[in-house]
Amino acid sequence: MTKALKLTGLLMLVLAAAFSAVMLANRHTYSFALWGDMPYARNGDGAKGGEKMARLVASMNAVELAFTVFDGDTKDGSSPCTDNAIGQETMDLFNKIKAPTVYVPGDNEWADCHRLNNGGYNALERLDYLRKTLFADGFSFGQTKMPLHRQGPARGLYAENVRWLKGGVVFVGLNVPGSNNNKVHDGRCLNDKSARTLADCAADNAEYLARDAANTAFLRESFQIAKQQQAAGVAVVMQADPGFDLPETEADNERKKAGFDGYDNFLAALVTETTAFNGQVLLVHGDTHFYKVDKPLIDQAHLIKNLTRIETFGSPNLHWVKVSVDINNPDVFSFQPVFVQGN
């Protein structure tokens, strides 16, 4: 073999190795979008096909994204929970996104629909409608579909709880809505702004207990899979703000006073699983509409270093968050708020 051929062969091996390294890096380096709590008619956002929403969709479609996740509240909490508002209009919006889009439900689509200004619906009937309509198969929304593992059968119980794996991270979407996770306290059932009966509230509390147990089981199972896969991270997406920003002092815990105990079991499981996991954990939620990234658990004296909370934008701020994943980075996740021009 001539010297030139040997050099050519060596160069080909070097190039092949470099190409393999790039391919491996690309497989574990990607970005996804987080958005939610929009559009709200009361804030002048317009319908799901309005100008502000069109600009938001165009902004996400202009970027290469592995997927997007909508973390609940496809409408405001003062408008009717009609089939069209929480069903077809929502599907039409999500299917305008080029990337696969995963939907995690919020309280405005079901748990708060008992309010008279929402139409006085039965909350559990609305949840059943969501399951049959928006969680009807094993795939995401979007112009490109992505297969999802559902906790329950499509159209059935807990079909909305989903899991998927991407480039060294386990992603989990859970039905954990605002309004105290649909747990109703004694004495807070009946009021002149709600169509609920005492029987409705009893049924809501039974639903809360069963779903809370299912959520916790699915969360624990997802962490077990992450350990088996030696995943670098776990990302958990839900709608509710569980009261992280309320004061917690030795003498006075505002979070417990304000009626956030519907999240206690779930958060306890999250703390247990996160502290036993070697990778990074990302907790995503919407609900209170303020973009923030911090480490809220458990308290000042017991910081969980590998857990980060990100809260997404919400109406009237129709923007989104770009999350980049790099498993070679010790932090795994990095964040960029994307401000939509004109919104």
Side-chain angles (χ1 to χ4, degrees), residues 17 26 36 41 93 125 129 331:
N26 286 342
L93 171 62
E125 182 277 329
Y129 176 80
D331 293 329

Side-chain angles (χ1 to χ4, degrees), residues 106-113 123 127 130 175 177 182 207 211:
D107 55 353
N108 288 356
E109 296 94 283
W110 71 276
D112 291 344
C113 291
L127 176 56
L130 286 179
N175 185 2
N182 201 40
E207 185 281 332
R211 179 175 40 78

Side-chain angles (χ1 to χ4, degrees), residues 199-273:
D200 291 332
C201 292
D204 283 348
N205 281 332
E207 185 281 332
Y208 150 73
L209 287 172
R211 179 175 40 78
D212 188 47
N215 286 341
T216 300
F218 199 60
L219 180 76
R220 293 188 187 281
E221 181 181 273
S222 299
F223 271 94
Q224 185 61 36
I225 291 171
K227 291 176 184 177
Q228 292 169 353
Q229 296 288 326
Q230 296 184 321
V234 174
V236 180
V237 185
M238 62 187 197
Q239 187 257 334
D241 180 346
F244 286 142
D245 300 304
L246 294 172
E248 294 185 16
T249 63
E250 183 177 354
D252 201 11
N253 189 332
E254 292 293 331
R255 188 178 167 275
K256 292 191 177 297
K257 279 188 175 183
F260 286 87
D261 59 331
Y263 307 108
D264 287 353
N265 295 334
F266 175 79
L267 290 179
L270 181 65
V271 168
T272 298
E273 295 298 330

Side-chain angles (χ1 to χ4, degrees), residues 86-107:
I86 67 173
Q88 191 62 53
E89 288 184 11
T90 295
M91 291 188 288
D92 289 345
L93 171 62
F94 293 156
N95 286 328
K96 291 176 182 176
I97 308 297
K98 289 181 180 178
T101 294
V102 178
Y103 166 51
V104 175
D107 55 353

Side-chain angles (χ1 to χ4, degrees), residues 10-88:
L10 180 61
L11 179 61
M12 291 297 291
L13 287 172
V14 170
L15 289 174
F19 179 76
S20 297
V22 170
M23 289 299 292
L24 183 63
N26 286 342
R27 201 167 56 194
H28 298 298
T29 306
Y30 55 92
S31 297
F32 62 93
L34 297 172
W35 55 307
D37 292 291
M38 60 184 74
Y40 278 26
R42 72 183 183 202
N43 289 341
D45 298 342
K48 293 180 174 69
E51 291 183 5
K52 293 176 75 173
M53 291 304 298
R55 287 193 290 264
L56 180 90
V57 169
S59 177
M60 289 190 287
N61 283 345
V63 179
E64 183 178 350
L65 296 169
F67 52 84
T68 88
V69 187
F70 187 96
D71 57 2
D73 279 8
T74 59
K75 70 172 195 67
D76 63 62
S78 303
S79 59
C81 300
T82 64
D83 287 359
N84 195 50
I86 67 173
Q88 191 62 53

